[in-house]
Amino acid sequence: MNNLASKYDPKAVEEKWYQYWLDHDLFKSVPDEREPYTIVIPPPNVTGVLHMGHMLNNTIQDILIRRARQKGKNALWVPGTDHASIATEAKVVKRLAEQGIKKSDLTREEFLKHAWDWTHEHGGIILQQLRKLGASCDWSRTAFTMDEKRSEGVLRVFVDLYDKGLIYRGLRMVNWDPKAQTALSNEEVIYREENSKLYYLKYYVADDDLTGETGQEGEIVHRDEQGRRYAVVATTRPETIMGDTAMCINPKDPKNQWLRGKKVIVPLVNRVIPVIEDRYVDIEFGTGCLKVTPCHDPNDYMLGKTHNLENIDIFNADGTVSDQSPLYVGMDRMEVRKVISRDLTEAGLMEKVEDYVNKVGYSERNSDTAVEPRLCMQWFLKMRHFADLALPPVMNDEIKFFPQKYKPTYHNWLENIQDWCISRQLWWGHRIPAYFLPAAEGEEERYVVALNDEEALAKARQIPGFEHITAEELRHDNDALDTWFSSWLWPISLFDGINNPGNDEIKYYYPTNDLVTAPDIIFFWVARMIMAGYEYEGKMPFRNVYFTGIVRDKLGRKMSKQLGNSPDPLMLIDKFGADGVRMGMMLSAPAGNDILFDEALCEQGRNFNNKIWNAFRLVNGWDVDENLAQPDHSRLAIDWFQNKLNATLAEVDDLFNKFRISEALMAVYRLFWEDFSAWYLEIVKPAYQQPVDAATMRATKRFFDILLRMLHPFMPFITEELWQHLAERADGESIMYAPLPAEQPVDEAVLASMAEAGAIVSNVRNVRSAKNIAPREAVTLQVVGTWANANAPIIVKLAGLNDIVAVEAKDPTAAAFIVGTTEFAVPLADKVNVEEEIAKLQKELDYARGFLANVEKKLANERFVANAPQAVVAIERKKQADALSKIATLEESLKALKQS
RNA sequence: GGGCGCUUAGCUCAGCUGGUUUAGAGCACCUGCCUUACAAGCAGGGGGUCGGCGGUUCGAAUCCGUCAGCGCCCACCA
C-alpha cells in the first residue's frame, strides 16, 4: 500500500531540498512592488565555528523569514561575517607563534597577508554550517565587515564624523589589554568578582622628629619600636607602589589629621611623596589613607590632575615593569605582586594582609587577562550626540524591544554614556584614516583625516608651511578601528547606503524589520546600530528587536568548553535531523528567558517529525472510492477540524506578532498531534483495507496541506518533502512560497459540541480501560434523560459503540459518568463492581457538593449580587443550577446502586 | 550603591487590563496495550491552592505593601 519507510529519515531529504532551494534561487530577493521584509544576520566571527547560541539565533531568524515569505512579503535575509579584530588577530598571532614567527618581526603588510590567508582558510565555515540548519539566507549577498564596500563605508563615516567634530584624539586613561596590547572600550571590559588580598603597607613619615604626641582625640598614629611614626595604606595592588606620587587623605578624617602637611616614604622604593587632601577619599575604607598612582588607576589619574602630581608610568605595554621603576624592571605585573608582597614582609613594611573580595576587569576577548588602566593617546567618538538620537525611539516604542524589560537597561546605559574609545593597537581591522605631519621633538602632533592617501596629501598641503609636503612624509596612523565601528553600520552598509546614499536597495530594504540577537550585545551593537541608523539614514535600522536568551545546559549552567556541556550542533543535526534540532531549540526557548537546552528536546522534535511522517503515510495509503457516500462522522469531523484549524491559525498569528514563537510552535504541535492525528484522523480513518470516500480524502489532503504550511517555518525540510507528494507542482515550486489561508471565522458552537463528544468518548474509554473491555467488543451507551449532540456519530465510532440509547433510568449494573449535566452509563452486566462504582460516584458527589457550597457562598453574599456585573452573577447562578442538577443525579444513582 | 526581572504541578513555562465551572500546556511519572500510520507509538491516570505575611475588593495566582530566596544589568570605593 505504501512505499514510504515507517521512520522518517532526515538525511535522505535535507541535502536534496537545500540544493533544490539553492538551484531555484528561492532565497534570493530583489526589490519589487511587494512589501519588503528584511532581516540582517548578526554577523558571526569570520573564523568562528557554529555553537548553540548561533543555532538558536539563526533558527529564529529562519522561522521569521520563512513565515514572511508565506505572508507574501518580499523576504530578504542577508548573511555575512564579522572580521572580529581582536579575536582574529589573536588567533593569527598564536598560529604564527607556533611557526616560530613573532608579530613584531613582521611588517604590517606581511602580517595582514597571514591574516587574510587565515581568513580565507577558516572564513565562512560557519556560514556553511548554517546551511545544514536550513537557513534561507540570500547567499548571493554574503558580506564581510572588511570587504571593499564595507571598508569604504567605515572610512567615509570616520572622516564624516571627524569633520562634524564628533571624533577627537586625546590622552586618556583607557582600558588596556596587555596580552593583545591594545586599548579596549569600556564595554569590552568584563568585571568579575575575585578572591584577592588587601595588603596593608607602612608609609613612614619622612624626616620624623619623633616628637609628635600620640595625637589628638580620635587620631590613629602608628609607631614602630623606635617610635617612628608611619601611616598604613590598604591596597589590592602593592605592585604599583613604584608609581606612587602621593598619599591622599580626606581632610575631614579625624583619624589622619596628624598626617596633614607631612611627607611620607614609599616603602621599598624610598621615594618621598606628599600627603595630599581630597574629599574623594572614603574615610571608612581601610585606614582612610589612599596611595595615589596617577598612571595606573583612573581615579588616581583624576587626583593627579587636580593636585598636579608627577606621572610615573611603571608598566610597559605588555604588562611588565618599565625602566621608569626603580625596582623589578622587566618582571610581569602579576609576578611582581607575589614578589613585592614577600619583600615588603621581609622588610617589615607590611602591617598585615587580609582576604578581600573585589571586582577585577578582564578583557572580553582574552578572558584570562586582567585589564590594566593605562594612560595613552587614543581616538574617541563623542557619544552624547548619539545617545540623544538613540534614546527616544526606543523609549516611545518606535523601535520595539522584545521583551520589554531591556528598555530600562538601554535607558540607563545611554543616560550615563561615556565617549567611545574607537582605536585599537591592532593591524587586523580598518586602518584609521588619519595622517600625521612631520613634527619636531616635543612639538604638538598635527594630522589630517582623509579617505585615502591622495586626499590626505591634498589636505595636508593646504596647511600653511606644508605646501610642498610629499606623500612619503605623511605618516598613516598605525592603529585600526574597533570592530563595532564597522558593525554599527551593518543594516546600512549591507545595502551600500553609506557609499551610495539613497540607492534603490537602501530605499527598499531599509529600515529592516526584525533584529534577532542576544542581550549581551545590546550596548556593543544594538544601541550603536540605532545611533548610526539615525545619523546616516535619519531612520531606525529595524522596527523590532527580539532578544534571545543565553543558551545554558539543563542545569542552568552556561555552556563552556571546560565543562564540556556544549554539544556540537552538527552532531545534533546528524543525530536528530535539522528539523528535529530546530524544534528542540524552539521548544526550550520561551521568549525573554535564558534557555535550558536539553538534548531530549531534540528527541522530542525528531519524534514529532516521525509523527508527521506517519500521519502522512496513513493518508497516503488510502484508496478512494468515488462512489462511496461520505459517512456522517467524517462530514462532522471535517466541519469541526476546519473550525479548529481556523482558531489555531488566528492564535498562531497573534503569537507571532508578540514574538512568542515557542508558544506558536506548541500550538501547531498540539493541533497536529492531538486534534489532527489523535482525533480527526481516527474519526475519518476507514476500516482496514477499506476505501475512503472522495470528499473526505479531498478535505483531509487539504488539511494536511495547510498543516504542512503552518509547520514549514519551524521544520522546512520534512514539510517540503511531504508537500511534494500532496499536489502536482511545477519544477521550482516550493512550500516556502505557499501562502497561509486568510483568516476565517470560528464557530464556537461546533468546537463546544466536539469538546463534549470528546469528553464522552474519553469516559467510555476509561470504562473500557478499567473493566478490561477489548477495543473490538462493542458496548452500548445509555443516556439518562434528554440529550442531544450533533456529533453522536463520532462518539459511536471512537468509543466503539453499537448504539446510544436514551433511558429513563440507567441499567443498575452500569458504569456511570457525568458530562456537563447529563448522566451516561455503560451497561457492564457481570463486570460491574458495585463497591467501586459507589466509591467513584461518592467522590464525584463530594466534589460537586464542595463546588456548590462555594458558589452558594458567593450568591449568598448580598454585596456580590449587588456589585458584580450581571453577567458574572448569571454565570454563578448557572453554575449553581448545574451543580444542583448534577448532585441530584448522583444521589439518585448512588441510591439505586446501594439498593441493588 | 543604583536599576530591572523572577518565585504557579517532579522539570521548563502559559495564565494580558481581578470574576468563562475549586489553575493550564509540554516533558517526565504511573497503569494497560507490539490494536496492520507511527512503541520515535496508542489509550487511560495521578500530581500544584499559585514563595511567606499583610492589605485593597462583593471577589486576587492576577492590584498594593512587606519579608525571604534567586537571577541579570550598570557603578571609580582603593
Side-chain angles (χ1 to χ4, degrees):
Chain A
M1 69 169 216
N2 221 315
N3 50 9
L4 296 172
S6 74
K7 285 192 167 41
Y8 170 61
D9 177 15
K11 289 198 187 77
V13 309
E14 289 179 359
E15 211 175 311
K16 175 181 75 179
W17 287 116
Y18 203 83
Q19 198 55 49
Y20 177 89
W21 295 329
L22 290 178
D23 289 345
H24 293 91
D25 275 341
L26 294 173
F27 304 154
K28 201 167 168 54
S29 165
V30 289
D32 61 20
E33 64 294 332
R34 285 175 297 166
E35 188 188 330
Y37 174 88
T38 317
I39 295 180
V40 297
I41 203 170
N45 290 0
V46 63
T47 60
V49 174
L50 202 66
H51 62 239
M52 296 308 288
H54 295 123
M55 294 288 282
L56 172 67
N57 185 264
N58 289 291
T59 297
I60 294 170
Q61 290 174 73
D62 197 50
I63 289 168
L64 293 174
I65 207 87
R66 285 177 186 271
R67 187 164 163 89
R69 283 191 195 104
Q70 295 182 315
K71 290 265 172 185
K73 308 269 178 66
N74 183 352
L76 169 63
W77 183 11
V78 193
T81 50
D82 188 291
H83 65 282
S85 62
I86 296 184
T88 307
E89 178 150 335
K91 283 181 194 167
V92 175
V93 167
K94 189 174 166 221
R95 184 215 227 178
L96 288 172
E98 285 162 5
Q99 298 168 2
I101 304 172
K102 284 204 294 198
K103 180 188 165 190
S104 52
D105 292 342
L106 298 176
T107 65
R108 185 185 188 106
E109 285 65 37
E110 287 167 342
F111 178 82
L112 286 177
K113 167 119 189 4
H114 285 290
W116 278 109
D117 285 350
W118 170 274
T119 300
H120 293 136
E121 216 173 296
H122 299 265
I125 289 178
I126 194 161
L127 298 183
Q128 292 299 327
Q129 293 178 314
L130 280 181
R131 294 169 201 225
K132 295 262 184 283
L133 184 64
S136 56
C137 305
D138 182 351
W139 300 107
S140 70
R141 293 172 176 270
T142 304
F144 178 43
T145 50
M146 236 166 79
D147 62 21
E148 214 172 305
K149 280 187 177 168
R150 264 47 67 176
S151 297
E152 184 187 334
V154 167
L155 299 189
R156 280 182 188 276
V157 164
F158 186 96
V159 174
D160 178 62
L161 294 176
Y162 178 78
D163 289 343
K164 286 173 177 164
L166 291 167
I167 285 180
Y168 65 93
R169 183 172 153 82
L171 186 68
R172 296 285 186 284
M173 182 68 71
V174 296
N175 306 293
W176 185 263
D177 178 340
K179 189 168 172 197
Q181 297 198 34
T182 178
L184 303 172
S185 66
N186 298 338
E187 289 69 38
E188 286 167 299
V189 180
I190 311 282
Y191 289 91
R192 284 207 301 260
E193 210 157 72
E194 218 162 70
N195 294 316
S196 37
K197 305 257 186 246
L198 196 54
Y199 302 86
Y200 289 79
L201 314 184
K202 298 180 184 175
Y203 283 62
Y204 275 93
V205 174
D207 306 318
D208 194 2
D209 55 11
L210 304 178
T211 59
E213 291 306 315
T214 306
Q216 305 299 313
E217 181 72 18
E219 287 192 346
I220 296 175
V221 183
H222 304 272
R223 287 177 189 275
D224 66 8
E225 292 88 0
Q226 282 86 46
R228 291 181 299 169
R229 293 179 293 179
Y230 61 89
V232 173
V233 171
T235 179
T236 52
R237 303 203 57 196
E239 71 276 16
T240 62
I241 61 171
M242 293 87 81
D244 284 359
T245 52
M247 191 176 95
C248 191
I249 58 169
N250 190 312
K252 292 193 172 151
D253 186 353
K255 301 191 294 294
N256 294 316
Q257 288 297 316
W258 64 280
L259 281 164
R260 299 179 78 168
K262 297 262 187 318
K263 289 186 187 307
V264 293
I265 304 165
V266 181
L268 294 180
V269 179
N270 294 327
R271 182 188 302 131
V272 175
I273 55 172
V275 174
I276 59 171
E277 298 168 31
D278 198 292
R279 301 230 307 268
Y280 162 76
V281 176
D282 183 350
I283 297 172
E284 302 304 318
F285 187 89
T287 57
C289 297
L290 174 73
K291 67 192 244 1
V292 184
T293 318
C295 281
H296 304 290
D297 182 279
N299 302 305
D300 292 11
Y301 179 64
M302 298 291 291
L303 285 172
K305 275 193 131 175
T306 318
H307 297 272
N308 243 323
L309 299 177
E310 191 189 349
N311 290 333
I312 304 176
D313 187 348
I314 60 155
F315 289 130
N316 296 311
D318 64 356
T320 57
V321 175
S322 75
D323 55 15
Q324 297 290 297
S325 165
L327 302 165
Y328 310 113
V329 175
M331 204 181 277
D332 183 77
R333 57 193 172 134
M334 294 305 166
E335 187 63 24
V336 176
R337 185 179 299 175
K338 284 182 213 152
V339 173
I340 202 169
S341 160
R342 193 193 62 212
D343 292 349
L344 284 163
T345 307
E346 282 174 5
L349 293 167
M350 183 84 82
E351 177 92 350
K352 60 177 172 177
V353 182
E354 283 178 350
D355 288 331
Y356 186 67
V357 175
N358 67 342
K359 288 201 169 171
V360 180
Y362 284 87
S363 165
E364 195 222 359
R365 292 291 166 189
N366 289 318
S367 61
D368 55 335
T369 306
V371 164
E372 187 67 43
R374 184 160 196 247
L375 197 56
C376 49
M377 196 61 102
Q378 300 290 343
W379 292 93
F380 294 88
L381 179 62
K382 291 184 185 170
M383 292 306 269
R384 198 61 260 164
H385 162 72
F386 290 101
D388 291 341
L389 279 180
L391 186 57
V394 171
M395 296 325 285
N396 66 26
D397 285 333
E398 275 170 56
I399 299 172
K400 288 199 185 70
F401 278 10
F402 295 88
Q404 287 263 307
K405 68 177 175 184
Y406 290 108
K407 270 171 75 175
T409 305
Y410 180 84
H411 181 267
N412 185 261
W413 185 70
L414 286 177
E415 287 278 285
N416 302 301
I417 198 155
Q418 295 185 348
D419 288 352
W420 176 12
C421 177
I422 52 174
S423 46
R424 298 289 178 276
Q425 286 61 55
L426 300 168
W427 283 342
W428 181 243
H430 305 280
R431 191 169 185 177
I432 292 177
Y435 298 77
F436 293 93
L437 303 170
E441 186 74 28
E443 204 181 350
E444 196 191 328
E445 279 186 311
R446 301 178 70 178
Y447 55 85
V448 292
V449 169
L451 258 189
N452 52 48
D453 299 4
E454 294 76 50
E455 283 185 27
L457 190 61
K459 280 190 179 173
R461 285 179 173 168
Q462 284 171 8
I463 297 172
F466 291 93
E467 290 83 354
H468 303 293
I469 189 171
T470 64
E472 290 70 40
E473 289 172 292
L474 279 179
R475 184 173 54 82
H476 194 167
D477 193 319
N478 238 337
D479 290 352
L481 287 161
D482 181 4
T483 301
W484 300 102
F485 196 84
S486 56
S487 330
W488 76 325
L489 306 173
W490 195 239
I492 303 172
S493 65
L494 285 176
F495 305 110
D496 207 25
I498 301 287
N499 308 323
N500 194 359
N503 74 70
D504 289 345
E505 291 237 316
I506 192 90
K507 279 198 298 202
Y508 183 72
Y509 291 115
Y510 190 97
T512 70
N513 294 72
D514 302 329
L515 177 77
V516 181
T517 193
D520 52 349
I521 53 176
I522 182 169
F523 307 137
F524 281 115
W525 196 46
V526 179
R528 289 172 181 160
M529 279 192 287
I530 296 172
M531 294 171 177
Y534 281 93
E535 182 73 17
Y536 287 101
E537 288 298 322
K539 277 184 281 190
M540 62 188 81
F542 29 70
R543 294 186 169 84
N544 303 300
V545 183
Y546 177 96
F547 291 105
T548 65
I550 309 276
V551 182
R552 298 172 179 279
D553 70 9
K554 62 180 168 183
L555 300 175
R557 302 172 305 183
K558 262 194 170 175
M559 294 205 162
S560 75
K561 281 183 190 151
Q562 290 97 312
L563 281 172
N565 60 350
S566 179
D568 173 1
L570 296 182
M571 300 278 282
L572 288 175
I573 288 175
D574 189 56
K575 194 165 169 191
F576 301 107
D579 290 335
V581 177
R582 289 167 69 111
M583 239 197 95
M585 296 307 305
M586 294 318 297
L587 282 172
S588 58
N593 288 333
D594 282 357
I595 81 156
L596 303 187
F597 179 79
D598 185 348
E599 222 181 88
L601 293 166
C602 292
E603 198 180 332
Q604 193 185 341
R606 181 200 58 184
N607 295 353
F608 185 46
N609 281 321
N610 204 233
K611 186 71 193 178
I612 298 167
W613 181 258
N614 277 293
F616 182 79
R617 284 178 68 223
L618 173 68
V619 175
N620 194 237
W622 290 341
D623 290 322
V624 177
D625 182 344
E626 295 288 345
N627 299 319
L628 201 62
Q630 184 179 44
D632 283 346
H633 55 74
S634 293
R635 180 179 48 76
L636 291 162
I638 290 164
D639 187 32
W640 161 69
F641 191 73
Q642 182 66 56
N643 278 286
K644 187 73 196 176
L645 188 62
N646 293 346
T648 310
L649 278 163
E651 184 191 353
V652 168
D653 223 31
D654 180 55
L655 289 168
F656 263 101
N657 288 336
K658 294 173 181 157
F659 284 89
R660 302 174 76 144
I661 302 171
S662 302
E663 287 173 57
L665 170 59
M666 190 45 73
V668 186
Y669 177 88
R670 293 215 310 263
L671 177 69
F672 193 96
W673 202 311
E674 276 304 307
D675 298 308
F676 185 66
S677 299
W679 290 98
Y680 175 83
L681 287 180
E682 289 301 326
I683 297 168
V684 303
K685 183 159 110 182
Y688 183 53
Q689 287 188 333
Q690 293 299 303
V692 69
D693 67 276
T696 300
M697 187 59 159
R698 255 197 322 275
T700 305
K701 283 198 159 183
R702 192 169 56 80
F703 287 148
F704 217 114
D705 183 9
I706 297 169
L707 287 166
L708 288 178
R709 295 180 198 210
M710 292 174 84
L711 288 163
H712 178 258
F714 304 102
M715 303 194 250
F717 294 106
I718 190 174
T719 49
E720 186 79 277
E721 172 70 16
L722 293 178
W723 201 64
Q724 69 171 336
H725 297 303
L726 270 176
E728 293 287 316
R729 63 172 178 182
D731 189 39
E733 267 191 272
S734 165
I735 189 173
M736 200 186 304
Y737 286 95
L740 290 167
E743 203 169 303
Q744 292 193 312
V746 176
D747 186 341
E748 295 292 341
V750 171
L751 296 183
S753 165
M754 182 61 192
E756 188 188 53
I760 294 166
V761 170
S762 289
N763 270 293
V764 175
R765 284 173 175 171
N766 188 4
V767 171
R768 283 179 173 280
S769 176
K771 302 299 172 199
N772 258 320
I773 302 172
R776 280 183 206 162
E777 190 181 333
V779 295
T780 304
L781 182 63
Q782 296 182 332
V783 184
V784 183
T786 53
W787 167 83
N789 185 310
N791 289 317
I794 289 176
I795 300 172
V796 169
K797 173 159 185 187
L798 290 187
L801 304 181
N802 47 27
D803 205 1
I804 300 179
V805 293
V807 293
E808 284 297 310
K810 65 175 196 282
D811 192 299
T813 63
F817 57 87
I818 292 179
V819 172
T821 55
T822 309
E823 185 177 34
F824 298 84
V826 178
L828 294 169
D830 52 331
K831 285 192 171 120
V832 76
N833 180 328
V834 177
E835 293 303 309
E836 272 178 24
E837 274 303 301
I838 289 175
K840 197 178 82 188
L841 292 183
Q842 189 61 49
K843 200 176 153 194
E844 251 186 278
L845 182 59
D846 292 345
Y847 177 91
R849 280 177 176 154
F851 178 76
L852 178 68
N854 246 334
V855 174
E856 289 190 329
K857 201 169 94 191
K858 255 190 203 176
L859 286 169
N861 185 335
E862 280 169 33
R863 287 186 297 180
F864 169 72
V865 179
N867 295 329
Q870 284 301 320
V872 174
V873 178
I875 287 167
E876 292 302 316
R877 293 210 196 284
K878 172 84 164 47
K879 285 191 205 169
Q880 181 188 33
D882 288 356
L884 283 169
S885 137
K886 194 168 170 178
I887 287 166
T889 307
L890 285 166
E891 281 172 339
E892 217 165 289
S893 289
L894 274 170
K895 204 169 113 194
L897 269 177
K898 284 172 183 164
Q899 282 169 356
S900 68

